[in-house]
Amino acid sequence: MEDVKEDGRASSAVVWASLGAAGVFEALTVLETQDKTVRAASPWQDDPYDVVVSLAQFAVPMPALVIALRLLVWRAPGGADRVRQTVRAAGAMVTLVGLTVVSEWAAVIARTPASSSGTWASVLIGGLVVNSVLTMAIAVLLVRGHRGQGSAGPWRHDWLGDAVFVCRRIPVLRRWVGPDAADRVRRRAMTVFVALSTLAAAAITGAQAIGERWTDPLLIAWFLIVVATSNLAFCVISNAVAGFIARPARPRTRRIAEASAVAGCVAISAATAFRDALWPVFGTGSLTSVPALAALTLGAGLATSLVTAALLLACFPYDSSGSRRRFGAVATHLRRPDKHR
């Protein structure tokens, strides 16, 4: 028991450190993307680098927020699962930061020395150095912490259970939030991910359309789809890594459909980032038409989804009882928050 508590304290310190590093990254990213003067001097203001930076700008705060909120119930029942899941969520967040840092360094290397000169460019590159050092240091600590935890069986607690645990202790929310509501969310996790992704995308698209004074409905609709699909891919992948919502067993066809959809979402983001390099393969001239842009990026996503589904159906033609037991055990072993002791 003492070893578990000691591991929990050490992991909590690492998680707090990762949140601090994420805060530094977010502050610098907001500065370089929202201030027009700073953005004009940014070495990574163009695609494909800007797509990665823009995605990280909105994706990093989401796990950071839920990680910080979960630290409020760090000593609640289910400590072993909570430590493992929170460390993995912090690892996913730091990985996203690391990928963005790599993309920014690639932009610095690709640009000419003259285009990376100036006061603000020097400030941004200095911030990039700080982000790089912090990210590498936190990554090392997270890897050591993950190795120290060893392997374990299926999770008996998830983040959703902690949310219910907290809400059951708030008189106003007690009558509205309970184990039955959590079970409904677990059964409809994909619907929840789609709804949250679309709502966040609508807010981002609205701000972008107002800020850039867009009037083309097709451009606005395309941007909404791109942001929503990137959000959905992030939600599903991060949930698989950190176990925010422990999902019950699902039929083989549904699992394949979800995996194919996520692959298509990732392909849309990739095609958007590298659209200028991809366009010569399919068209002529420069890519300036919104219908052509939508056809290229969304078509890449659709094609990737179909190919992924075909490959998964060919590689896994039959369902496996082992998979049913593994996924089913997660939902079966979850304890209801009102029965914690």
Side-chain angles (χ1 to χ4, degrees):
M1 183 62 71
E2 288 298 325
D3 291 340
V4 174
K5 291 182 178 179
E6 187 65 27
D7 291 341
R9 286 192 290 268
S11 298
S12 176
V14 175
V15 170
W16 276 114
S18 68
L19 290 176
V24 174
F25 168 82
E26 187 66 17
L28 291 172
T29 302
V30 170
L31 173 65
E32 70 197 30
T33 57
Q34 301 304 313
D35 188 284
K36 293 184 178 180
T37 302
V38 179
R39 181 177 175 82
S42 173
W44 43 86
Q45 61 180 286
D46 300 321
D47 291 332
Y49 318 107
D50 185 60
V51 170
V52 180
V53 175
S54 299
L55 172 63
Q57 176 187 357
F58 296 103
V60 169
M62 291 188 286
L65 176 61
V66 295
I67 289 171
L69 292 175
R70 205 178 201 201
L71 290 173
L72 299 176
V73 294
W74 193 254
R75 299 183 182 277
D81 285 348
R82 187 172 296 106
V83 169
R84 290 173 57 210
Q85 293 167 347
T86 309
V87 168
R88 293 181 68 166
M93 177 180 67
V94 172
T95 299
L96 182 57
V97 173
L99 292 175
T100 308
V101 167
V102 170
S103 174
E104 291 175 345
W105 276 120
V108 172
I109 295 172
R111 293 173 72 89
T112 61
S115 63
S116 296
S117 61
T119 303
W120 277 117
S122 300
V123 170
L124 292 177
I125 294 175
L128 178 57
V129 173
V130 173
N131 276 330
S132 301
V133 173
L134 289 176
T135 302
M136 288 189 291
I138 298 301
V140 171
L141 294 175
L142 287 170
V143 169
R144 289 180 178 178
H146 179 70
R147 289 177 179 176
Q149 293 171 15
S151 59
W155 289 322
R156 298 174 61 88
H157 301 265
D158 63 357
W159 303 62
L160 183 60
D162 281 354
V164 175
F165 179 83
V166 173
C167 292
R168 295 286 289 176
R169 281 151 180 77
I170 301 176
V172 178
L173 300 177
R174 185 176 300 163
R175 59 178 299 183
W176 302 103
V177 179
D180 293 337
D183 291 339
R184 287 194 296 271
V185 172
R186 292 188 182 104
R187 290 194 300 269
R188 299 171 175 83
M190 196 65 179
T191 302
V192 173
F193 294 150
V194 171
L196 292 177
S197 299
T198 304
L199 288 174
I204 296 171
T205 303
Q208 183 74 9
I210 294 173
E212 299 295 333
R213 297 181 179 179
W214 288 348
T215 57
D216 187 345
L218 182 58
L219 176 62
I220 295 174
W222 170 80
F223 189 83
L224 174 65
I225 294 173
V226 170
V227 177
T229 52
S230 65
N231 289 345
L232 179 60
F234 176 76
C235 287
V236 176
I237 295 173
S238 61
N239 186 70
V241 172
F244 296 110
I245 300 176
R247 306 183 64 185
R250 303 180 303 284
R252 178 182 66 97
T253 53
R254 181 173 176 182
R255 296 199 304 272
I256 290 177
E258 290 180 358
S260 302
V262 172
C265 292
V266 174
I268 290 174
S269 296
T272 301
F274 296 96
R275 59 186 182 274
D276 292 331
L278 291 174
W279 178 246
V281 179
F282 302 98
T284 58
S286 58
L287 183 59
T288 57
S289 169
V290 176
L293 175 62
L296 174 66
T297 54
L298 303 185
L302 178 60
T304 302
S305 294
L306 294 176
V307 171
T308 302
L311 290 175
L312 291 176
L313 287 171
C315 295
F316 305 99
Y318 304 105
D319 206 348
S320 61
S321 58
S323 294
R324 284 198 298 268
R325 286 196 297 268
R326 181 173 71 252
F327 287 103
V330 175
T332 303
H333 289 153
L334 284 173
R335 295 176 180 173
R336 293 193 172 188
D338 58 342
K339 293 187 179 180
H340 283 312
R341 294 180 182 178

